[in-house]
Amino acid sequence: MSKTAFPLTRRRFLTGSALLGSSLLLSGGVWAAGSDAPQIKTLRVGFIPLTDCAPLVMAVVKGFDKKYGISLQLSKEASWAAVRDKLTSGELDAAHALYGMIYGLQLGVAGRAHKMANLMTLNQNGQAITLSRQLRDMGVTDAQSLRQKVAASPAGTYTFAHTFPTSTHAMWLYYWLANADIDPIRDIRTLVVPPPQMVMNMKIGSLSGYCVGEPWNQRAISGNVGFTAATSQQIWPDHPEKILAARAQWVDENPDSARALTAAVLEACRWIEASDANRRETARIIAGRAYLNVAPEIIEGRMLGRYEDGLGKRWQDPHPLRFFGDGEVNFPWLSDGMWFLTQQKRWGLLKNAPDYLAVAREINRTDLYRQAAQAAGVSVPNGEMRSSTLLDGKVWNGANPASYADSFALHSGGSL
């Protein structure tokens, strides 16, 4: 692995791979002088023990951080609330974070309002909704059979968990339930549970279902605790998931460090997706005690897109966990961020419609991302919006967010 540190300013973005004078660098890739140097060279970066923390781990393991003149000090966190608190207090410089949590923080619905920044998307797909063995034994195998069971019981009989009030997982769970005409606000009880605690809570009977990232869905199957009722990519194929987040003030004060961090993690995303062998190596490494602390085989299958549902079905998923996709995964699409705002409005987390596009432009640092991608040799799209068709047939492309948010038959006010 080369130890050359590459400057990531607008000058490099414009000049491409112009020669670097030897006077700029000392041996070993340490910055010597000049405004190109990362303002902070040791970065504290938080993560939750989930498969999709892999880009941060591999950026360190493969030395991509050193290549860009920085050192990432990873911090394993117990919950998304801990990530939020440490990010906003400055204890962490950046973090593996929930897309919806960062948008919620910006608008003051996920804690005290803080200006936040999304540097890049870390992955697409790779989450799931798990239902309990007890539900399976009662004949529940999918959303429709669950609807029948819920409808025949008093409201709140069944308890479901997600990971944070404005999380991606809350939105996937609510969307899936509502598509089956189950009101996630009135018909069931919902709790916030940290990802590593999901399986145990289901095992002791506290949860009928949950939505979380891997490996905690596959772990439920392996332990005969639950089964996969739906993957998140069945709800939205190639949906945005975790992001690389920081406080806006930190990015503004340390733009070269932010660009270096983004470029290093981009390189890690590209490396992971370069081959199945790289994915297997990644699974083995992140399975370790310092990261997820599970058996590698619990991670590897779904990392390779090989799924089982715990009910006898096995398949190669057409929309598996993606980390790179020639950079298409990683670009901080404005429409991706805006979608989470529409769902926060739908479920009453936002009382009034925000300026969807303005909020997305403020949080998603597309200019900084383009500069980092240029340094890492990663292609970038021409536009800032993309189009997708979700589970219910609705098309989302960011064009009319207010109308989209108000278009759902089931929302926080009940059925229309």
Side-chain angles (χ1 to χ4, degrees):
M1 175 63 65
S2 169
K3 297 297 183 183
T4 304
F6 294 103
L8 296 177
T9 60
R10 289 179 176 82
R11 175 163 52 81
R12 173 167 171 78
F13 176 60
L14 294 172
T15 61
S17 56
L19 293 176
L20 296 173
S22 59
S23 62
L24 290 178
L25 300 172
L26 296 175
S27 61
V30 179
W31 293 97
S35 61
D36 292 349
Q39 293 84 358
I40 299 175
K41 297 177 175 61
T42 300
L43 277 60
R44 301 159 297 177
V45 182
F47 74 94
I48 292 290
L50 292 161
T51 301
D52 50 32
C53 76
L56 295 178
V57 175
M58 300 314 291
V60 173
V61 171
K62 295 298 176 181
F64 294 122
D65 56 343
K66 303 301 189 295
K67 177 177 179 180
Y68 290 95
I70 57 176
S71 176
L72 304 187
Q73 304 298 311
L74 300 184
S75 176
K76 184 176 180 179
E77 304 300 338
S79 68
W80 290 117
V83 171
R84 173 200 61 194
D85 294 345
K86 290 185 178 182
L87 261 183
T88 56
S89 69
E91 188 173 341
L92 293 173
D93 297 311
H96 164 237
L98 295 162
Y99 218 132
M101 180 175 77
I102 298 308
Y103 271 66
L105 273 173
Q106 180 86 5
L107 297 179
V109 296
R112 189 167 64 87
H114 286 268
K115 297 293 187 182
M116 303 302 295
N118 172 17
L119 301 177
M120 62 179 285
T121 302
L122 294 175
N123 69 291
Q124 292 177 346
N125 307 322
Q127 322 300 295
I129 294 170
T130 290
L131 299 183
S132 68
R133 180 182 61 191
Q134 289 79 3
L135 281 176
R136 179 197 67 193
D137 293 343
M138 290 188 287
V140 174
T141 58
D142 56 17
Q144 291 306 314
S145 53
L146 176 64
R147 181 186 64 79
Q148 294 172 9
K149 186 62 64 176
V150 169
S153 307
T157 298
Y158 297 100
T159 300
F160 285 72
H162 53 70
T163 63
F164 193 81
T166 62
S167 67
T168 54
H169 305 109
M171 300 304 105
W172 309 142
L173 178 63
Y174 292 0
Y175 207 100
W176 182 75
L177 290 169
N179 188 64
D181 201 29
I182 301 171
D183 189 325
I185 308 301
R186 293 169 178 79
D187 293 344
I188 63 169
R189 180 172 177 245
T190 57
L191 300 174
V192 171
V193 176
Q197 298 178 25
M198 291 287 194
V199 177
M200 181 55 66
N201 273 276
M202 181 170 282
K203 184 175 182 179
I204 65 176
S206 299
L207 300 177
S208 299
Y210 60 70
C211 184
V212 73
E214 297 301 338
W216 307 114
N217 300 290
Q218 181 61 44
R219 181 69 185 82
I221 293 173
S222 300
N224 194 28
V225 172
F227 66 95
T228 295
T231 65
S232 55
Q233 52 265 34
Q234 290 171 329
I235 300 167
W236 177 355
D238 298 332
H239 66 79
E241 188 47 46
K242 305 303 187 301
I243 61 174
L244 181 59
R247 287 178 298 115
Q249 181 181 353
W250 184 88
V251 175
D252 293 340
E253 292 174 352
N254 305 285
D256 299 304
S257 295
R259 277 187 285 267
L261 170 62
T262 305
V265 177
L266 260 177
E267 294 228 26
C269 288
R270 178 168 56 195
W271 184 90
I272 293 169
E273 206 161 281
S275 68
D276 281 353
N278 287 6
R279 285 178 176 265
R280 289 189 181 95
E281 181 179 344
T282 299
R284 178 181 57 79
I285 289 170
I286 66 174
R289 184 178 296 275
Y291 307 116
L292 274 64
N293 193 27
V294 298
E297 56 267 25
I298 298 295
I299 301 172
E300 183 177 293
R302 292 192 176 190
M303 173 78 85
L304 294 167
R306 298 171 184 168
Y307 276 74
E308 59 175 327
D309 65 359
L311 299 174
K313 180 182 177 182
R314 297 176 182 270
W315 71 98
Q316 184 70 38
D317 202 290
H319 299 279
L321 180 62
R322 302 175 73 207
F323 292 101
F324 186 59
D326 196 28
E328 187 273 336
V329 169
N330 310 111
F331 186 77
W333 301 93
L334 299 184
S335 53
D336 285 359
M338 292 163 64
W339 185 87
F340 289 103
L341 292 177
T342 69
Q343 298 308 295
Q344 290 172 15
K345 175 64 169 60
R346 176 186 183 183
W347 299 117
L349 295 164
L350 292 173
K351 302 305 180 186
N352 301 301
D355 186 334
Y356 291 93
L357 183 58
V359 173
R361 286 196 184 282
E362 187 172 4
I363 297 174
N364 289 20
R365 298 300 182 93
T366 56
D367 287 350
L368 187 148
Y369 175 86
R370 290 179 187 275
Q371 295 162 21
Q374 173 75 13
V378 174
S379 61
V380 295
N382 292 323
E384 296 179 321
M385 303 283 195
R386 65 186 183 113
S387 181
S388 305
T389 302
L390 277 73
L391 175 68
D392 52 6
K394 286 183 178 289
V395 175
W396 169 247
N397 57 21
N400 296 292
S403 175
Y404 179 86
D406 292 339
S407 69
F408 293 94
L410 195 57
H411 52 79
S412 64
S415 298
L416 291 174

